[in-house]
């Protein structure tokens, strides 16, 4: 029996790992769902570089459904409910999310899924942050930092790749400042360029670091997909 799923997808490490876990568990990921918030401070949705999800869905070979929301607190849930209802009407049975520790996000998504008759699955929920980040690296996902907003994370972190060296630095920052190792408190956002579920790799052609006092983000202006064999 085919088990049809969708993934609430931002292009970051957590939603990409949720897609990986869904496939690993035997689900057929029929769609990726990206919510485009007009509010950069949305309580529910990842905002940095959400415009790249179209390329990433193509890289993964999974169709993308995009929905817009003004991003106002609580009201944005109505827009998500409509998108989930659309998925249900398309034959989707479950929605996977990349929630790790955010009770605010998970509880609302669980409630909406129950309303429209979908199973809500969060395969990363309450994983040990360091073990989880190590798994991302070990699986071969290529992840870069695209925004930072926490003590100890300065402009030099923008564009950095998640690797063993970066994990060691995160351990130190966790001990010194209490930084969440997996950035679940909004300390940083990420973008996945490649990985085991990607048929092509996202190649960044033009980007700009935007810094404001004590936080900032990497704006990716131009990107393309390349065959993995073409990238050195």
């Amino acid at each position: 029996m085919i088990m049809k799923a969708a993934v609430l997808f931002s292009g970051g490490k957590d939603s990409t790992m949720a897609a990986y876990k869904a496939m690993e568990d035997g689900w057929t990921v029929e769609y990726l769902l990206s919510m485009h918030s007009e509010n950069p401070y949305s309580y529910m949705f990842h905002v940095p570089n959400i415009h790249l999800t179209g390329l990433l869905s193509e890289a993964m070979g999974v169709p993308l459904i995009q929905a817009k929301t003004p991003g106002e607190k609580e009201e944005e849930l109505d827009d998500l409910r409509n998108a989930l209802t659309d998925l249900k009407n398309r034959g989707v049975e479950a929605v996977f999310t990349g929630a790790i520790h955010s009770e605010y996000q998970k509880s609302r998504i669980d409630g909406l899924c129950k309303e429209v008759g979908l199973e809500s699955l969060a395969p990363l929920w309450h994983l040990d942050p360091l073990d989880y980040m190590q798994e991302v690296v070990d699986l071969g996902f290529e992840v870069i930092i695209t925004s930072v907003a926490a003590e100890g994370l300065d402009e030099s972190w923008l564009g950095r790749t998640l690797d063993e060296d970066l994990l060691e630095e995160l351990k130190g920052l966790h001990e010194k400042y209490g930084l969440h190792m997996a950035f679940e408190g909004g300390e940083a956002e990420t973008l996945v360029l490649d990985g085991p579920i990607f048929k092509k790799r996202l190649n960044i052609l033009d980007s700009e670091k935007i810094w404001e006092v004590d936080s900032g983000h990497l704006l990716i202006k131009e990107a393309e997909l390349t065959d993995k064999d073409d990238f050195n």
Side-chain angles (χ1 to χ4, degrees):
M1 180 180 174
I2 297 175
M3 300 185 296
K4 297 181 179 180
V7 177
L8 190 57
F9 185 71
S10 68
K13 61 178 174 51
D14 301 334
S15 61
T16 304
M17 277 293 286
Y20 173 84
K21 297 284 188 182
M23 295 174 188
E24 191 179 43
D25 289 345
W27 290 84
T28 298
V29 178
E30 296 277 330
Y31 302 101
L32 303 174
L33 170 63
S34 290
M35 300 296 296
H36 292 247
S37 173
E38 295 171 7
N39 177 8
Y41 306 106
S42 168
Y43 282 81
M44 281 293 296
F45 306 119
H46 173 115
V47 175
N49 297 302
I50 193 74
H51 62 283
L52 296 174
T53 53
L55 283 175
L56 291 170
S57 76
E58 186 180 341
M60 292 168 61
V62 179
L64 176 70
I65 294 175
Q66 303 182 73
K68 291 184 178 180
T69 175
E72 298 300 325
K73 189 177 180 182
E74 299 302 338
E75 290 180 19
E76 60 192 354
L77 298 178
D78 292 332
D79 300 312
L80 179 57
R81 181 187 293 105
N82 293 336
L84 293 175
T85 300
D86 179 40
L87 289 174
K88 173 72 174 177
N89 292 337
R90 292 170 184 257
V92 168
E93 300 160 86
V95 172
F96 281 74
T97 65
I100 301 175
H101 281 104
S102 174
E103 193 66 51
Y104 179 89
Q105 291 177 323
K106 186 175 186 298
S107 64
R108 282 154 179 77
I109 292 170
D110 287 350
L112 291 176
C113 283
K114 187 174 182 180
E115 270 186 53
V116 303
L118 291 168
E119 189 174 358
S120 177
L121 298 171
L124 313 180
W125 190 241
H126 284 177
L127 290 181
D128 177 83
L130 178 56
D131 290 345
Y132 164 61
M133 293 289 268
Q134 188 67 58
E135 182 183 12
V136 174
V137 173
D138 291 345
L139 286 169
F141 283 98
E142 184 181 352
V143 179
I144 63 169
I145 308 292
T146 54
S147 79
V148 292
E151 195 169 7
L153 302 179
D154 59 22
E155 187 174 356
S156 69
W157 282 73
L158 295 175
R160 285 189 60 185
T161 299
L162 176 61
D163 56 17
E164 297 290 350
D165 291 339
L166 189 142
L167 285 181
E168 283 300 316
E169 289 184 54
L170 285 178
K171 289 179 193 177
L173 292 173
H174 171 70
E175 292 167 4
K176 186 173 182 179
Y177 300 113
L179 181 84
H180 191 285
M181 288 285 297
F183 309 139
E184 182 73 346
E187 294 91 340
E189 301 284 3
T190 60
L191 179 71
V192 180
L193 306 182
D194 197 2
I197 56 174
F198 282 54
K199 297 175 173 62
K200 293 191 173 186
R201 181 188 183 279
L202 185 70
N203 184 30
I204 297 172
L205 300 175
D206 187 21
S207 63
E208 177 186 358
K209 291 182 180 181
I210 297 174
W211 191 257
E212 297 178 359
V213 186
D214 59 358
S215 64
H217 65 278
L218 181 72
L219 175 63
I220 298 173
K221 297 180 176 180
E222 187 178 359
E224 65 178 4
L225 296 182
T226 57
D227 290 335
K228 295 193 180 193
D229 292 341
D230 293 343
F231 184 78
N232 296 308

